[in-house]
Amino acid sequence: MTFPLIMIDQATSLIIDHRGKTPKKLGSDWTASGHRVISALNIKGSRINENDHHYVNSETYAKWMKIPLAAGDTILTSEAPLGEVAYLKRDVDWVLGQRLYALRTEPSLAVGRFLFYALQSPLVRNDLDSRATGTTVFGISQVELRKVQIPCPPITEQRRIAGVLGVLDDKIESNRKQQYIGERLLRALIERIFSQFSEADFTTFDAYCTHSKESVRPENVVSGDKYIALEHMPRGSVFLNSWENVEHAGIASNKTRFRQGDLLFGKLRPYFKKVGVAPVSGVCSTDILVVRPRLREFLPLITVVASSDALIDSISASATGTRMPRASWKDIGAWPVPRIADETLIVLLQPANQLMAFLEALSFQNLRLAELRDALLPELMNGRMRVDEAGQLVNKALDEEVVDV
């Protein structure tokens, strides 16, 4: 069964479009705190990330957002890149910034979360891309956006489709929250170990790890390898949830080889705090330092130390370069840490290693759930798969236990 199509103009009751607005045009300026301003840079992987953003005061917010964002709105990037989406599950007092639209559905014709998923389907993406204009940067005007067509099954069917896909995204988000809480516990475990040796001699960070510098030419990249760049690394989290196959990465320059269980440290603008454990083996950008624990059991320790605020702040202050500062392994390796005998440390780190294995396994579960969601989405949007059938596959995936890697 193929669903009828309607234009976004019909499916929406409101399109919020503040492209081109700036605080200065409203007689103000950015502030250090207040109402968060999101831009296209914050929309990635179908969610709003915590990367850099600006703030404005309440007076500017009131002028800028005369109609506030609300639960059920879909955020869509208009260019650079075009077509990234995010869904608001709650009301927020944020400002809609550069290169963004907010779409609010007409309740009698469309469900907000269904529109969010429809915009990710190949059918709608092709229509969206075909209406884009530009030479170096492709973007879509509001006039053309309104002409884009989306599937329009009955409202009850829209809710069911959005529900079955939403269960997967909700579980992925729940896993991310578990990783966030688990990371705080991991830090507490390492800090407790260090507190037991506060009176001990100190050594340097590189006593527990080494800097691996195995360079790989593009022609020597192995088919099936995974590729990790800075954009795959979340800010402020040591657990990576995304990477790509080298075949799709378009590798044209030398990279650095890493192994599963290495620590990846983003040396470009280290204050972005892009430090994470490699969940797979492969190659990475040369803007990433590959840090290898001298013993695998040391991984929790080097992860917590390398991603600590104290080390990051110190390394950022000593980084070379003004516009694009880079961290140095020499500075990282020289960071002071307590000297603990290997045999003692291995025993003390057992709980931390068990916790880290579980938290890493959540990344792989998220990958499997995202793959299932991406496979089901076009089938449901085209009416080729019944919602009940999709629901069975989703329930089976959710019932699978998380297995430590």
Side-chain angles (χ1 to χ4, degrees), residues 6-67:
I6 61 171
M7 293 188 297
I8 284 180
D9 183 60
Q10 300 168 276
T12 55
S13 62
L14 175 68
I15 295 181
I16 303 176
D17 178 4
H18 295 318
R19 294 171 302 146
K21 270 191 181 179
T22 65
K24 289 188 177 180
K25 291 181 180 179
L26 297 173
S28 183
D29 207 341
W30 305 115
T31 57
S33 60
H35 296 269
R36 181 184 178 186
V37 181
I38 58 172
S39 73
L41 296 175
N42 299 117
I43 314 301
K44 191 171 181 64
S46 302
R47 60 197 296 264
I48 300 173
N49 64 35
E50 296 300 322
N51 288 349
D52 276 0
H53 46 265
H54 297 291
Y55 295 93
V56 296
N57 60 30
S58 295
E59 182 181 354
T60 305
Y61 170 78
K63 293 179 181 177
W64 197 323
M65 297 297 295
K66 293 181 179 179
I67 301 176

Short mmCIF file of all heavy atoms in Angstrom, two decimals, residues 6-67:
data_model
loop_
_atom_site.label_atom_id
_atom_site.label_comp_id
_atom_site.label_asym_id
_atom_site.label_seq_id
_atom_site.Cartn_x
_atom_site.Cartn_y
_atom_site.Cartn_z
N ILE A 6 1.31 14.75 0.53
CA ILE A 6 0.86 16.14 0.67
C ILE A 6 2.10 17.02 0.80
O ILE A 6 3.18 16.55 1.17
CB ILE A 6 -0.05 16.36 1.89
CG1 ILE A 6 0.69 16.02 3.21
CG2 ILE A 6 -1.33 15.55 1.76
CD1 ILE A 6 -0.09 16.42 4.45
N MET A 7 1.95 18.29 0.48
CA MET A 7 3.07 19.22 0.60
C MET A 7 3.27 19.63 2.05
O MET A 7 2.32 19.65 2.84
CB MET A 7 2.83 20.45 -0.26
CG MET A 7 2.83 20.17 -1.76
SD MET A 7 2.79 21.69 -2.75
CE MET A 7 1.19 22.37 -2.25
N ILE A 8 4.51 19.96 2.38
CA ILE A 8 4.81 20.45 3.73
C ILE A 8 3.98 21.68 4.05
O ILE A 8 3.58 21.89 5.20
CB ILE A 8 6.33 20.73 3.87
CG1 ILE A 8 7.08 19.40 4.01
CG2 ILE A 8 6.63 21.63 5.07
CD1 ILE A 8 8.58 19.53 4.15
N ASP A 9 3.67 22.46 3.05
CA ASP A 9 2.82 23.63 3.26
C ASP A 9 1.47 23.23 3.86
O ASP A 9 0.92 23.94 4.71
CB ASP A 9 2.61 24.36 1.93
CG ASP A 9 1.79 25.63 2.10
OD1 ASP A 9 2.22 26.51 2.85
OD2 ASP A 9 0.71 25.71 1.48
N GLN A 10 0.93 22.08 3.41
CA GLN A 10 -0.34 21.60 3.94
C GLN A 10 -0.16 20.92 5.30
O GLN A 10 -1.03 21.02 6.17
CB GLN A 10 -0.96 20.59 2.96
CG GLN A 10 -1.25 21.13 1.58
CD GLN A 10 -1.57 20.01 0.60
OE1 GLN A 10 -0.68 19.39 0.03
NE2 GLN A 10 -2.87 19.74 0.44
N ALA A 11 0.97 20.23 5.47
CA ALA A 11 1.19 19.43 6.68
C ALA A 11 1.56 20.28 7.89
O ALA A 11 1.51 19.79 9.02
CB ALA A 11 2.30 18.41 6.43
N THR A 12 1.93 21.54 7.66
CA THR A 12 2.37 22.39 8.78
C THR A 12 1.39 23.54 9.02
O THR A 12 0.80 24.08 8.08
CB THR A 12 3.76 22.98 8.49
OG1 THR A 12 3.76 23.67 7.25
CG2 THR A 12 4.81 21.89 8.45
N SER A 13 1.27 23.89 10.27
CA SER A 13 0.49 25.08 10.63
C SER A 13 1.41 26.29 10.81
O SER A 13 0.95 27.43 10.81
CB SER A 13 -0.27 24.83 11.93
OG SER A 13 0.62 24.58 13.01
N LEU A 14 2.72 26.02 10.96
CA LEU A 14 3.67 27.11 11.20
C LEU A 14 5.07 26.66 10.80
O LEU A 14 5.48 25.53 11.09
CB LEU A 14 3.66 27.49 12.69
CG LEU A 14 4.68 28.53 13.15
CD1 LEU A 14 4.36 29.90 12.56
CD2 LEU A 14 4.74 28.60 14.68
N ILE A 15 5.80 27.53 10.11
CA ILE A 15 7.23 27.35 9.86
C ILE A 15 7.94 28.56 10.45
O ILE A 15 7.73 29.69 10.00
CB ILE A 15 7.54 27.21 8.36
CG1 ILE A 15 6.90 25.93 7.80
CG2 ILE A 15 9.06 27.17 8.15
CD1 ILE A 15 7.17 25.70 6.32
N ILE A 16 8.73 28.32 11.47
CA ILE A 16 9.49 29.41 12.09
C ILE A 16 10.80 29.55 11.34
O ILE A 16 11.55 28.58 11.19
CB ILE A 16 9.76 29.13 13.59
CG1 ILE A 16 8.44 28.90 14.33
CG2 ILE A 16 10.53 30.28 14.22
CD1 ILE A 16 8.62 28.51 15.80
N ASP A 17 11.07 30.74 10.88
CA ASP A 17 12.23 30.99 10.02
C ASP A 17 12.88 32.31 10.45
O ASP A 17 12.36 33.39 10.15
CB ASP A 17 11.78 31.05 8.56
CG ASP A 17 12.92 31.34 7.59
OD1 ASP A 17 14.08 31.43 8.04
OD2 ASP A 17 12.64 31.48 6.38
N HIS A 18 13.99 32.21 11.17
CA HIS A 18 14.70 33.41 11.62
C HIS A 18 16.10 33.48 11.02
O HIS A 18 17.01 34.05 11.61
CB HIS A 18 14.79 33.43 13.15
CG HIS A 18 13.46 33.55 13.83
ND1 HIS A 18 12.48 34.40 13.38
CD2 HIS A 18 12.95 32.93 14.93
CE1 HIS A 18 11.42 34.30 14.17
NE2 HIS A 18 11.68 33.42 15.11
N ARG A 19 16.27 32.86 9.86
CA ARG A 19 17.58 32.90 9.21
C ARG A 19 17.98 34.35 8.93
O ARG A 19 17.18 35.14 8.44
CB ARG A 19 17.54 32.10 7.91
CG ARG A 19 17.33 30.59 8.13
CD ARG A 19 17.08 29.88 6.82
NE ARG A 19 15.92 30.44 6.14
CZ ARG A 19 15.80 30.53 4.81
NH1 ARG A 19 16.76 30.12 4.04
NH2 ARG A 19 14.71 31.04 4.29
N GLY A 20 19.21 34.66 9.25
CA GLY A 20 19.70 36.02 9.03
C GLY A 20 19.59 36.92 10.24
O GLY A 20 20.22 37.98 10.29
N LYS A 21 18.80 36.51 11.23
CA LYS A 21 18.69 37.31 12.44
C LYS A 21 19.97 37.19 13.27
O LYS A 21 20.55 36.11 13.39
CB LYS A 21 17.50 36.88 13.29
CG LYS A 21 16.21 37.60 12.96
CD LYS A 21 15.16 37.31 14.02
CE LYS A 21 13.84 38.01 13.69
NZ LYS A 21 12.80 37.71 14.68
N THR A 22 20.40 38.29 13.87
CA THR A 22 21.54 38.30 14.78
C THR A 22 21.20 39.22 15.96
O THR A 22 20.32 40.08 15.83
CB THR A 22 22.81 38.82 14.10
OG1 THR A 22 22.61 40.19 13.73
CG2 THR A 22 23.14 38.01 12.85
N PRO A 23 21.89 39.06 17.07
CA PRO A 23 21.63 39.97 18.20
C PRO A 23 21.85 41.43 17.84
O PRO A 23 21.08 42.30 18.28
CB PRO A 23 22.64 39.50 19.26
CG PRO A 23 22.94 38.10 18.92
CD PRO A 23 22.87 38.02 17.43
N LYS A 24 22.87 41.71 17.03
CA LYS A 24 23.17 43.10 16.69
C LYS A 24 22.02 43.74 15.91
O LYS A 24 21.73 44.93 16.07
CB LYS A 24 24.47 43.19 15.91
CG LYS A 24 25.69 42.90 16.77
CD LYS A 24 26.99 43.18 16.04
CE LYS A 24 28.18 42.95 16.97
NZ LYS A 24 29.47 43.21 16.31
N LYS A 25 21.37 42.94 15.05
CA LYS A 25 20.23 43.47 14.31
C LYS A 25 19.06 43.77 15.24
O LYS A 25 18.15 44.51 14.86
CB LYS A 25 19.81 42.49 13.22
CG LYS A 25 20.82 42.36 12.08
CD LYS A 25 20.34 41.39 11.02
CE LYS A 25 21.34 41.27 9.89
NZ LYS A 25 20.91 40.30 8.85
N LEU A 26 19.09 43.18 16.42
CA LEU A 26 18.03 43.41 17.41
C LEU A 26 18.49 44.37 18.50
O LEU A 26 17.84 44.49 19.54
CB LEU A 26 17.59 42.07 18.02
CG LEU A 26 16.98 41.05 17.05
CD1 LEU A 26 16.74 39.72 17.74
CD2 LEU A 26 15.67 41.58 16.46
N GLY A 27 19.63 45.02 18.26
CA GLY A 27 20.13 46.02 19.20
C GLY A 27 20.78 45.44 20.44
O GLY A 27 20.79 46.08 21.49
N SER A 28 21.33 44.22 20.31
CA SER A 28 21.93 43.57 21.47
C SER A 28 23.22 42.88 21.06
O SER A 28 23.82 43.22 20.04
CB SER A 28 20.94 42.57 22.07
OG SER A 28 21.46 41.97 23.23
N ASP A 29 23.67 41.91 21.85
CA ASP A 29 24.86 41.14 21.55
C ASP A 29 24.78 39.79 22.24
O ASP A 29 23.87 39.55 23.04
CB ASP A 29 26.12 41.89 22.01
CG ASP A 29 27.35 41.52 21.18
OD1 ASP A 29 27.31 40.46 20.52
OD2 ASP A 29 28.34 42.28 21.21
N TRP A 30 25.75 38.92 21.93
CA TRP A 30 25.79 37.63 22.61
C TRP A 30 26.10 37.83 24.09
O TRP A 30 26.74 38.82 24.47
CB TRP A 30 26.86 36.73 21.99
CG TRP A 30 26.76 36.50 20.52
CD1 TRP A 30 27.64 36.89 19.56
CD2 TRP A 30 25.71 35.82 19.83
NE1 TRP A 30 27.22 36.51 18.32
CE2 TRP A 30 26.03 35.84 18.45
CE3 TRP A 30 24.53 35.20 20.22
CZ2 TRP A 30 25.22 35.26 17.47
CZ3 TRP A 30 23.72 34.63 19.25
CH2 TRP A 30 24.06 34.66 17.91
N THR A 31 25.66 36.89 24.90
CA THR A 31 25.94 36.96 26.33
C THR A 31 26.61 35.67 26.79
O THR A 31 26.61 34.67 26.06
CB THR A 31 24.65 37.18 27.14
OG1 THR A 31 23.71 36.12 26.83
CG2 THR A 31 24.02 38.52 26.80
N ALA A 32 27.17 35.67 27.99
CA ALA A 32 27.87 34.50 28.51
C ALA A 32 26.90 33.42 28.98
O ALA A 32 27.25 32.24 29.08
CB ALA A 32 28.79 34.89 29.66
N SER A 33 25.66 33.80 29.27
CA SER A 33 24.65 32.85 29.72
C SER A 33 23.28 33.41 29.35
O SER A 33 23.17 34.50 28.82
CB SER A 33 24.75 32.61 31.23
OG SER A 33 24.54 33.82 31.92
N GLY A 34 22.25 32.63 29.63
CA GLY A 34 20.90 33.07 29.29
C GLY A 34 20.18 32.04 28.45
O GLY A 34 20.19 30.84 28.77
N HIS A 35 19.58 32.48 27.35
CA HIS A 35 18.83 31.59 26.47
C HIS A 35 19.77 31.04 25.39
O HIS A 35 20.42 31.80 24.67
CB HIS A 35 17.67 32.34 25.81
CG HIS A 35 16.64 32.82 26.78
ND1 HIS A 35 15.54 32.06 27.14
CD2 HIS A 35 16.56 33.97 27.50
CE1 HIS A 35 14.81 32.73 28.02
NE2 HIS A 35 15.41 33.90 28.26
N ARG A 36 19.80 29.73 25.29
CA ARG A 36 20.69 29.08 24.33
C ARG A 36 20.26 29.37 22.89
O ARG A 36 19.07 29.36 22.58
CB ARG A 36 20.68 27.57 24.57
CG ARG A 36 21.59 26.79 23.63
CD ARG A 36 21.47 25.30 23.85
NE ARG A 36 22.31 24.59 22.90
CZ ARG A 36 22.34 23.26 22.76
NH1 ARG A 36 21.56 22.52 23.53
NH2 ARG A 36 23.12 22.69 21.88
N VAL A 37 21.24 29.62 22.03
CA VAL A 37 20.98 29.82 20.60
C VAL A 37 21.52 28.60 19.86
O VAL A 37 22.71 28.31 19.93
CB VAL A 37 21.66 31.10 20.07
CG1 VAL A 37 21.35 31.29 18.58
CG2 VAL A 37 21.22 32.32 20.87
N ILE A 38 20.66 27.88 19.15
CA ILE A 38 21.11 26.72 18.38
C ILE A 38 21.22 27.11 16.92
O ILE A 38 20.48 27.95 16.42
CB ILE A 38 20.15 25.51 18.55
CG1 ILE A 38 18.72 25.87 18.11
CG2 ILE A 38 20.17 25.01 19.99
CD1 ILE A 38 17.80 24.66 18.07
N SER A 39 22.18 26.47 16.24
CA SER A 39 22.37 26.71 14.81
C SER A 39 22.48 25.36 14.11
O SER A 39 22.42 24.30 14.75
CB SER A 39 23.64 27.53 14.57
OG SER A 39 24.79 26.73 14.78
N ALA A 40 22.70 25.39 12.80
CA ALA A 40 22.82 24.15 12.03
C ALA A 40 23.97 23.29 12.53
O ALA A 40 23.95 22.06 12.39
CB ALA A 40 22.99 24.47 10.54
N LEU A 41 24.99 23.90 13.12
CA LEU A 41 26.13 23.16 13.64
C LEU A 41 25.75 22.23 14.78
O LEU A 41 26.46 21.25 15.06
CB LEU A 41 27.22 24.13 14.12
CG LEU A 41 27.86 25.02 13.04
CD1 LEU A 41 28.82 26.01 13.69
CD2 LEU A 41 28.59 24.17 12.01
N ASN A 42 24.64 22.51 15.45
CA ASN A 42 24.20 21.70 16.59
C ASN A 42 23.32 20.53 16.19
O ASN A 42 23.01 19.69 17.04
CB ASN A 42 23.43 22.56 17.59
CG ASN A 42 24.27 23.68 18.17
OD1 ASN A 42 23.97 24.85 17.97
ND2 ASN A 42 25.33 23.34 18.88
N ILE A 43 22.91 20.47 14.92
CA ILE A 43 21.99 19.41 14.49
C ILE A 43 22.78 18.34 13.75
O ILE A 43 23.24 18.55 12.63
CB ILE A 43 20.87 19.97 13.58
CG1 ILE A 43 20.28 21.25 14.16
CG2 ILE A 43 19.79 18.91 13.37
CD1 ILE A 43 19.68 21.10 15.54
N LYS A 44 22.96 17.21 14.38
CA LYS A 44 23.74 16.12 13.78
C LYS A 44 23.26 14.79 14.33
O LYS A 44 22.98 14.67 15.53
CB LYS A 44 25.23 16.31 14.08
CG LYS A 44 26.14 15.37 13.28
CD LYS A 44 27.59 15.76 13.46
CE LYS A 44 28.51 14.85 12.65
NZ LYS A 44 28.29 14.97 11.20
N GLY A 45 23.15 13.80 13.44
CA GLY A 45 22.72 12.48 13.89
C GLY A 45 21.30 12.47 14.41
O GLY A 45 20.98 11.72 15.33
N SER A 46 20.44 13.33 13.85
CA SER A 46 19.02 13.39 14.21
C SER A 46 18.79 13.81 15.66
O SER A 46 17.79 13.44 16.27
CB SER A 46 18.32 12.04 13.95
OG SER A 46 18.46 11.68 12.60
N ARG A 47 19.72 14.59 16.20
CA ARG A 47 19.56 15.10 17.55
C ARG A 47 20.29 16.43 17.68
O ARG A 47 21.08 16.80 16.82
CB ARG A 47 20.05 14.10 18.60
CG ARG A 47 21.52 13.74 18.48
CD ARG A 47 21.84 12.46 19.24
NE ARG A 47 21.64 12.60 20.67
CZ ARG A 47 22.61 12.91 21.52
NH1 ARG A 47 23.84 13.12 21.10
NH2 ARG A 47 22.36 13.00 22.82
N ILE A 48 20.01 17.14 18.76
CA ILE A 48 20.67 18.41 19.03
C ILE A 48 21.82 18.14 20.00
O ILE A 48 21.59 17.70 21.12
CB ILE A 48 19.68 19.43 19.63
CG1 ILE A 48 18.53 19.67 18.65
CG2 ILE A 48 20.39 20.75 19.95
CD1 ILE A 48 17.41 20.54 19.22
N ASN A 49 23.05 18.38 19.53
CA ASN A 49 24.19 18.07 20.38
C ASN A 49 24.53 19.24 21.31
O ASN A 49 23.92 20.29 21.26
CB ASN A 49 25.40 17.65 19.53
CG ASN A 49 25.89 18.79 18.62
OD1 ASN A 49 25.84 19.97 18.98
ND2 ASN A 49 26.39 18.43 17.45
N GLU A 50 25.54 19.01 22.13
CA GLU A 50 25.94 20.01 23.13
C GLU A 50 27.18 20.78 22.71
O GLU A 50 27.85 21.39 23.54
CB GLU A 50 26.18 19.32 24.48
CG GLU A 50 24.95 18.70 25.08
CD GLU A 50 23.85 19.72 25.35
OE1 GLU A 50 24.17 20.85 25.76
OE2 GLU A 50 22.67 19.38 25.13
N ASN A 51 27.49 20.77 21.41
CA ASN A 51 28.66 21.49 20.95
C ASN A 51 28.46 23.00 21.09
O ASN A 51 27.40 23.46 21.50
CB ASN A 51 28.98 21.12 19.49
CG ASN A 51 29.53 19.72 19.38
OD1 ASN A 51 29.87 19.10 20.37
ND2 ASN A 51 29.62 19.21 18.16
N ASP A 52 29.46 23.74 20.69
CA ASP A 52 29.46 25.19 20.90
C ASP A 52 28.14 25.85 20.53
O ASP A 52 27.55 25.55 19.50
CB ASP A 52 30.57 25.83 20.06
CG ASP A 52 31.90 25.78 20.77
OD1 ASP A 52 31.94 25.26 21.89
OD2 ASP A 52 32.89 26.26 20.21
N HIS A 53 27.71 26.75 21.38
CA HIS A 53 26.53 27.55 21.08
C HIS A 53 26.63 28.88 21.81
O HIS A 53 27.42 29.03 22.75
CB HIS A 53 25.24 26.82 21.46
CG HIS A 53 25.27 26.19 22.81
ND1 HIS A 53 25.61 24.87 23.01
CD2 HIS A 53 25.04 26.69 24.05
CE1 HIS A 53 25.56 24.58 24.29
NE2 HIS A 53 25.22 25.67 24.95
N HIS A 54 25.85 29.85 21.35
CA HIS A 54 25.84 31.17 21.96
C HIS A 54 24.63 31.30 22.89
O HIS A 54 23.76 30.44 22.93
CB HIS A 54 25.78 32.25 20.87
CG HIS A 54 26.98 32.27 19.97
ND1 HIS A 54 28.22 32.65 20.39
CD2 HIS A 54 27.11 31.96 18.66
CE1 HIS A 54 29.07 32.58 19.39
NE2 HIS A 54 28.43 32.15 18.32
N TYR A 55 24.59 32.44 23.59
CA TYR A 55 23.46 32.77 24.44
C TYR A 55 23.04 34.21 24.19
O TYR A 55 23.83 35.04 23.73
CB TYR A 55 23.83 32.61 25.92
CG TYR A 55 24.16 31.20 26.33
CD1 TYR A 55 25.48 30.75 26.31
CD2 TYR A 55 23.18 30.32 26.77
CE1 TYR A 55 25.80 29.45 26.69
CE2 TYR A 55 23.48 29.03 27.16
CZ TYR A 55 24.80 28.60 27.12
OH TYR A 55 25.11 27.32 27.50
N VAL A 56 21.77 34.49 24.50
CA VAL A 56 21.27 35.86 24.49
C VAL A 56 20.49 36.10 25.78
O VAL A 56 20.06 35.15 26.44
CB VAL A 56 20.37 36.15 23.26
CG1 VAL A 56 21.15 36.04 21.96
CG2 VAL A 56 19.16 35.22 23.25
N ASN A 57 20.30 37.36 26.12
CA ASN A 57 19.54 37.67 27.34
C ASN A 57 18.04 37.57 27.09
O ASN A 57 17.60 37.38 25.95
CB ASN A 57 19.93 39.04 27.89
CG ASN A 57 19.67 40.17 26.89
OD1 ASN A 57 18.75 40.09 26.08
ND2 ASN A 57 20.48 41.22 26.96
N SER A 58 17.26 37.71 28.14
CA SER A 58 15.81 37.53 28.05
C SER A 58 15.15 38.57 27.14
O SER A 58 14.18 38.27 26.43
CB SER A 58 15.18 37.58 29.44
OG SER A 58 15.62 36.50 30.22
N GLU A 59 15.67 39.78 27.15
CA GLU A 59 15.10 40.82 26.31
C GLU A 59 15.28 40.49 24.83
O GLU A 59 14.35 40.63 24.03
CB GLU A 59 15.77 42.17 26.63
CG GLU A 59 15.20 43.34 25.85
CD GLU A 59 15.89 44.65 26.17
OE1 GLU A 59 16.73 44.68 27.09
OE2 GLU A 59 15.59 45.66 25.49
N THR A 60 16.49 40.05 24.46
CA THR A 60 16.75 39.67 23.08
C THR A 60 15.93 38.44 22.68
O THR A 60 15.40 38.36 21.57
CB THR A 60 18.24 39.41 22.86
OG1 THR A 60 18.99 40.55 23.28
CG2 THR A 60 18.55 39.11 21.41
N TYR A 61 15.83 37.48 23.61
CA TYR A 61 15.02 36.28 23.34
C TYR A 61 13.58 36.65 23.01
O TYR A 61 12.97 36.12 22.08
CB TYR A 61 15.06 35.35 24.55
CG TYR A 61 14.07 34.19 24.47
CD1 TYR A 61 14.34 33.09 23.67
CD2 TYR A 61 12.86 34.24 25.16
CE1 TYR A 61 13.42 32.05 23.58
CE2 TYR A 61 11.95 33.21 25.09
CZ TYR A 61 12.23 32.11 24.29
OH TYR A 61 11.32 31.09 24.20
N ALA A 62 13.01 37.57 23.77
CA ALA A 62 11.61 37.99 23.56
C ALA A 62 11.43 38.64 22.20
O ALA A 62 10.39 38.45 21.54
CB ALA A 62 11.19 38.94 24.67
N LYS A 63 12.42 39.39 21.75
CA LYS A 63 12.34 40.02 20.42
C LYS A 63 12.53 38.99 19.31
O LYS A 63 11.88 39.05 18.27
CB LYS A 63 13.42 41.11 20.29
CG LYS A 63 13.22 42.32 21.18
CD LYS A 63 14.37 43.31 20.96
CE LYS A 63 14.24 44.53 21.85
NZ LYS A 63 15.40 45.45 21.68
N TRP A 64 13.44 38.06 19.54
CA TRP A 64 13.83 37.10 18.51
C TRP A 64 12.78 36.00 18.36
O TRP A 64 12.40 35.65 17.25
CB TRP A 64 15.17 36.49 18.91
CG TRP A 64 15.94 35.78 17.84
CD1 TRP A 64 15.47 35.00 16.83
CD2 TRP A 64 17.37 35.77 17.70
NE1 TRP A 64 16.49 34.50 16.07
CE2 TRP A 64 17.68 34.96 16.58
CE3 TRP A 64 18.41 36.34 18.41
CZ2 TRP A 64 18.99 34.72 16.17
CZ3 TRP A 64 19.71 36.11 18.00
CH2 TRP A 64 20.00 35.32 16.89
N MET A 65 12.33 35.45 19.47
CA MET A 65 11.42 34.31 19.45
C MET A 65 10.03 34.72 19.93
O MET A 65 9.58 34.33 21.00
CB MET A 65 11.99 33.18 20.32
CG MET A 65 13.30 32.62 19.83
SD MET A 65 13.20 31.83 18.20
CE MET A 65 12.13 30.44 18.56
N LYS A 66 9.34 35.51 19.13
CA LYS A 66 8.00 35.93 19.49
C LYS A 66 7.06 34.73 19.57
O LYS A 66 6.08 34.74 20.31
CB LYS A 66 7.49 36.97 18.49
CG LYS A 66 8.28 38.27 18.57
CD LYS A 66 7.77 39.31 17.61
CE LYS A 66 8.57 40.61 17.76
NZ LYS A 66 8.12 41.66 16.81
N ILE A 67 7.36 33.71 18.79
CA ILE A 67 6.68 32.42 18.93
C ILE A 67 7.73 31.42 19.39
O ILE A 67 8.66 31.11 18.64
CB ILE A 67 6.05 31.96 17.60
CG1 ILE A 67 5.03 32.98 17.10
CG2 ILE A 67 5.41 30.59 17.76
CD1 ILE A 67 4.43 32.64 15.75
#
